[in-house]
Amino acid sequence: MPAKLSVNLNAIAMLRNRRDLPWPSVTGIGRLALAAGAHGLTVHPRPDERHTRHSDLPEIRALIDDEFPQAEFNIEGYPSEDFLALVEKHQPEQVTLVPDDPAQATSDHGWNFVADAALLTPIVRRLKKGGFRVSLFSDADPAGMTAARDTGADRIELYTGPYGSYHSDPAKAAKELERLGKTADAAFAAGLQVNAGHDLTVGNLPALAKRIPALAEVSIGHGLTADALEYGMAGTVGRFLRACGW
């Protein structure tokens, strides 16, 4: 089965937040994405709420529950106590833990699973006890997959930013794709499932899907939102679904 598509709404939220106005509606755009066939919605509610606001979360949860019960809600963020409380309140199907500093513009690296094991293991245990699927943001590092598994997580999410950054250098993109592929191979061997996200486009998704055919999910925000300005949200979701192999 091709990778499922989760639409990251942070770029929509960032556009809305430029004005003290309710548009574009984060929930409304999420509805368009799900109606067009997206399998889920992703948000990253940072502490300063510069993108998704905490007040968006109950609305997105209600949208999925009331109109698209087959879809999934994925909340990602650094596992502070405040973040964990948000997760436990709004009950996403998946929690993606990322090693973000609050000042970062966007996620730009994965966990060091050996060095961060003492932090991650009890948090993963807490989330799993709450019934959440847990995914951990990961660099392309095959050697770290045993330690990632030992935290108790269900999945890793491959950080594909370097792969996306080589959009004009096919040789470097191919080399980075192989690093991602080898990391996925090691993750599968360790018993983990694999997601991917960051700077994925309709241009670079097919090669990723071919190299990692068992990819479970891709979470895409910036490139998808940029394309939606040209093709509309419904048309863009269709383009990305086809790029995943649907």
Side-chain angles (χ1 to χ4, degrees), residues 8-246:
N8 189 315
L9 296 171
N10 266 24
I12 302 298
M14 183 173 65
L15 177 60
R16 176 202 58 193
N17 294 352
R18 294 183 69 246
R19 297 286 187 271
D20 187 21
L21 295 167
W23 59 78
S25 166
V26 172
T27 307
I29 297 297
R31 178 180 288 110
L32 292 175
L34 294 174
H39 302 96
L41 301 174
T42 292
V43 296
H44 188 148
R46 289 182 166 84
D48 61 7
E49 300 186 79
R50 67 183 183 270
H51 299 144
T52 308
R53 296 171 181 162
H54 296 174
S55 59
D56 293 320
L57 304 186
E59 295 183 6
I60 297 169
R61 179 72 272 174
L63 170 68
I64 291 174
D65 289 344
D66 296 344
E67 300 181 38
F68 302 94
Q70 77 286 357
E72 290 194 351
F73 192 15
N74 173 44
I75 300 181
E76 60 183 25
Y78 182 84
S80 66
E81 186 58 39
D82 286 345
F83 174 80
L84 295 173
L86 280 177
V87 164
E88 289 166 347
K89 181 177 180 179
H90 299 294
Q91 296 286 299
E93 282 70 32
Q94 179 172 266
V95 183
T96 301
L97 303 182
V98 298
D100 271 3
D101 183 283
Q104 283 182 223
T106 186
S107 304
D108 63 6
H109 64 284
W111 295 98
N112 180 326
F113 295 115
V114 174
D116 295 323
L119 168 68
L120 289 171
T121 302
I123 291 170
V124 171
R125 185 183 306 118
R126 171 177 168 178
L127 291 170
K128 294 281 290 178
K129 187 175 180 180
F132 305 108
R133 182 199 308 135
V134 180
S135 179
L136 303 177
F137 210 51
S138 174
D139 293 320
D141 176 20
M145 294 303 99
T146 299
R149 177 202 60 201
D150 290 347
T151 66
D154 303 286
R155 298 182 179 184
I156 60 161
E157 179 179 330
L158 290 169
Y159 169 51
T160 52
Y163 174 56
S165 73
Y166 296 136
H167 52 83
S168 59
D169 191 329
K172 288 184 178 179
K175 187 176 293 186
E176 185 62 28
L177 176 61
E178 188 55 25
R179 291 181 65 222
L180 292 167
K182 288 180 177 177
T183 305
D185 294 342
F188 294 136
L192 293 163
Q193 294 181 298
V194 178
N195 297 341
H198 216 88
D199 294 336
L200 294 174
T201 68
V202 293
N204 62 28
L205 261 173
L208 182 71
K210 182 177 180 180
R211 177 58 182 84
I212 312 174
L215 193 63
E217 176 186 291
V218 290
S219 173
I220 307 175
H222 183 83
L224 191 149
T225 303
D227 275 15
L229 296 174
E230 184 172 358
Y231 300 102
M233 180 55 70
T236 295
V237 168
R239 284 164 51 83
F240 274 83
L241 287 171
R242 289 189 292 276
C244 289
W246 292 94

